[in-house]
Amino acid sequence: MNNNKQICIEEGTQTAHRISLHEQKVGFQARPDVSVLVSMERAGQHLIAVGCRGGGCGQCRIRILQGDYFSKRMSRAWISSEQESEGTVLACRVFARSDLLIEPDPPEVGSRCQAAAQHDQ
Amino acid sequence: MKKGVMRPGHVQIRVLDMDEALKHYVDLLGLIEMDRDDEGRVYLKAWTEVDKFSVVLREADQAGMDFMGFKCLDEGTLDRLHEDLVAFGCAVDVIAAGELKDCGRRLRFRAPSGHDFELFATKQQTGKWGVDNRNPEAWPRGLQGIKATRFDHCLLYGTDLDRTLELFRDVLGFDLAEQVVTPDGTRVAQFLTASMKAHDVAFIDHPEPGKFHHASFFLETWEDVLRAADLISMTDTSIDIGPTRHGLTHGKTIYFFDPSGNRTEVFCGGDYHYPDHEPVTWDADKLGKAIFYHDRQLNERFLTVLT
């Protein structure tokens, strides 16, 4: 029981940061201990594509134009070290340390199965 | 025609953080840690497997699959298959015994799909975990989480499905159990088996070679799949889709992601295949139902999220 109370106190004391999309009037709040991507999902928004949520698939690639953040390891298949140093990151591995201004940068992938599926729908 | 390839033997998966990965594969999925090596790789198995390990995790800066290995009947079979692979046009690397701990020599080759596969015949047998082979009890106590029973198959996305089928059918003795075909006759998905299972390995057509969709683990019952779903929610684990049923193979399933973004499936049930069975065919315009039998609609993520 104590444990649960502890979690509540921690959640209450953490400052949420505002994540805004470049040249759009949309955004969401993100706590520093929840990734930018999952914060967006919890806010019920669909501004960044959601993939694996683990830094492996590249779907949630964004560019961070302004603000401070902490990032965990991201697959080099999608983010080179140059890109990482210039602020191109995977939203599922990034935690806001201030308000952020971001821009989605999804990679392009496609298959014949996907074409068939789109035809199906 | 059978060529002496018995079953999926192991898969080596790249993870971005080993400690996080072990929480997924051991605490949640219920695999058992069997060993570690000097490279930092961790060797895991599911409890019903007789060989020492079936899943090897390697920390790396990219997620995905390093290779999938199939176990063959004996060392003589390996010698024959080595010649047949070379005749087919595959470059074969012989990896010395012991490179994977307690595993014999392995023949490594790249399929036209862009994936690396291995054949081996010898691996230390530690027996089923927690039960004896003589008068065995039903199951062992002390299993964790989802209590996966065995590593079952991989689904891989890649190029040149036709030539990949020729390799697996003509050289390695797999059967085409199920397929998805477009109106112009192009096969865009193929489920291959070396056994009675609906699939030991499956491929979906994709412009980029060598991509990993998921590693799959077998459960006994639908109740077990629902219990897995509960555990996935309790741990706030990244979910893909399910619980649901596939049209292809008719397995009952749930998909979720490891902390590096590699997809994991646990499933139960499904069709069986004998060598005299014609392949089961799904039309590509029914792909939604073929993949998700209840929703009858694909989620974009299932086709595009790969490592």
Side-chain angles (χ1 to χ4, degrees):
Chain A
M1 291 302 123
N2 265 343
N3 198 15
N4 283 340
K5 210 183 259 176
Q6 190 64 34
I7 288 167
C8 285
I9 290 165
E10 280 176 6
E11 284 182 358
T13 54
Q14 278 174 335
T15 317
H17 301 296
R18 176 78 187 168
I19 314 298
S20 308
L21 264 75
H22 182 54
E23 292 182 343
Q24 293 184 55
K25 287 182 179 155
V26 291
F28 52 91
Q29 299 289 116
R31 286 205 335 246
D33 62 333
V34 178
S35 75
V36 167
L37 188 73
V38 170
S39 297
M40 178 203 75
E41 287 189 280
R42 290 186 184 173
Q45 305 266 15
H46 303 277
L47 307 171
I48 308 165
V50 179
C52 69
R53 306 180 187 89
C57 79
Q59 295 286 300
C60 65
R61 197 164 69 187
I62 57 172
R63 273 189 294 274
I64 299 187
L65 307 174
Q66 261 174 44
D68 300 325
Y69 56 91
F70 164 77
S71 60
K72 291 166 82 173
R73 196 175 200 175
M74 296 169 275
S75 175
R76 282 276 173 257
W78 304 106
I79 306 286
S80 67
S81 52
E82 293 79 33
Q83 285 176 309
E84 192 173 342
S85 62
E86 288 163 6
T88 297
V89 294
L90 301 179
C92 65
R93 302 290 274 181
V94 166
F95 301 81
R97 292 290 177 266
S98 74
D99 291 355
L100 299 179
L101 182 66
I102 67 168
E103 184 175 57
D105 181 28
E108 282 180 24
V109 284
S111 67
R112 267 182 281 190
C113 252
Q114 205 182 349
Q118 277 156 5
H119 179 73
D120 190 20
Q121 288 162 16
Chain B
M1 198 180 86
K2 297 282 184 254
K3 305 278 190 182
V5 178
M6 281 195 296
R7 62 166 182 264
H10 53 239
V11 59
Q12 182 165 304
I13 297 172
R14 295 188 298 270
V15 298
L16 301 175
D17 182 305
M18 185 61 76
D19 291 338
E20 285 184 1
L22 289 173
K23 287 193 180 84
H24 178 89
Y25 288 98
V26 175
D27 299 356
L28 177 61
L29 185 57
L31 301 183
I32 297 137
E33 181 174 333
M34 297 299 290
D35 212 341
R36 296 188 181 216
D37 66 21
D38 296 342
E39 290 177 50
R41 292 182 295 186
V42 180
Y43 297 62
L44 310 172
K45 73 180 281 179
W47 75 268
T48 70
E49 293 164 357
V50 295
D51 283 354
K52 179 174 171 179
F53 62 87
S54 61
V55 174
V56 181
L57 302 178
R58 179 172 76 86
E59 192 171 288
D61 64 6
Q62 291 189 20
M65 182 186 86
D66 278 333
F67 52 80
M68 180 183 183
F70 293 96
K71 192 173 192 188
C72 301
L73 280 172
D74 51 36
E75 294 291 332
T77 302
L78 276 195
D79 292 333
R80 278 193 301 280
L81 290 172
H82 191 164
E83 287 175 19
D84 295 346
L85 283 167
V86 170
F88 182 82
C90 286
V92 177
D93 285 334
V94 180
I95 296 167
E99 196 278 336
L100 278 172
K101 265 190 175 179
D102 297 313
C103 184
R105 71 177 163 135
R106 293 131 64 203
L107 307 181
R108 167 102 45 99
F109 57 96
R110 182 160 293 181
S113 62
H115 301 91
D116 287 337
F117 290 98
E118 297 183 347
L119 303 176
F120 68 98
T122 307
K123 191 185 280 179
Q124 186 190 347
Q125 295 209 318
T126 54
K128 292 179 184 176
W129 184 85
V131 291
D132 288 331
N133 206 35
R134 192 157 190 162
N135 309 315
E137 302 299 347
W139 39 264
R141 281 180 277 193
L143 292 169
Q144 296 195 75
I146 293 170
K147 305 180 185 181
T149 67
R150 68 163 187 255
F151 166 51
D152 189 88
H153 65 268
C154 288
L155 172 59
L156 307 170
Y157 277 43
T159 48
D160 205 345
L161 259 54
D162 285 340
R163 190 80 179 137
T164 301
L165 174 60
E166 287 174 28
L167 169 65
F168 274 81
R169 184 189 55 204
D170 302 341
V171 179
L172 303 177
F174 285 65
D175 284 332
L176 176 63
E178 305 213 5
Q179 60 182 345
V180 178
V181 178
T182 62
D184 69 4
T186 307
R187 200 177 334 93
V188 293
Q190 55 197 21
F191 288 59
L192 310 180
T193 182
S195 64
M196 270 184 70
K197 290 159 54 201
H199 45 359
D200 286 312
V201 62
F203 296 91
I204 286 184
D205 176 69
H206 190 71
E208 199 182 342
K211 302 302 283 186
F212 180 58
H213 189 272
H214 70 260
S216 182
F217 299 85
F218 189 74
L219 300 178
E220 250 182 36
T221 68
W222 177 228
E223 193 68 28
D224 292 338
V225 176
L226 298 182
R227 190 176 159 281
D230 289 340
L231 285 161
I232 289 163
S233 280
M234 282 180 204
T235 51
D236 269 330
T237 298
S238 176
I239 180 92
D240 186 5
I241 194 159
T244 184
R245 183 196 283 277
H246 286 306
L248 282 153
T249 77
H250 296 126
K252 288 155 278 187
T253 176
I254 184 165
Y255 287 93
F256 51 114
F257 294 99
D258 81 8
S260 308
N262 299 301
R263 197 186 271 92
T264 304
E265 177 188 35
V266 291
F267 79 106
C268 70
D271 298 332
Y272 63 86
H273 182 90
Y274 278 107
D276 65 332
H277 288 193
E278 284 294 314
V280 171
T281 299
W282 282 83
D283 295 317
D285 65 358
K286 304 282 191 301
L287 192 64
K289 193 172 184 176
I291 296 194
F292 300 124
Y293 188 69
H294 299 144
D295 280 359
R296 283 163 275 151
Q297 204 167 39
L298 272 169
N299 71 347
E300 178 84 1
R301 187 157 58 217
F302 196 81
L303 289 180
T304 56
V305 173
L306 307 167
T307 56

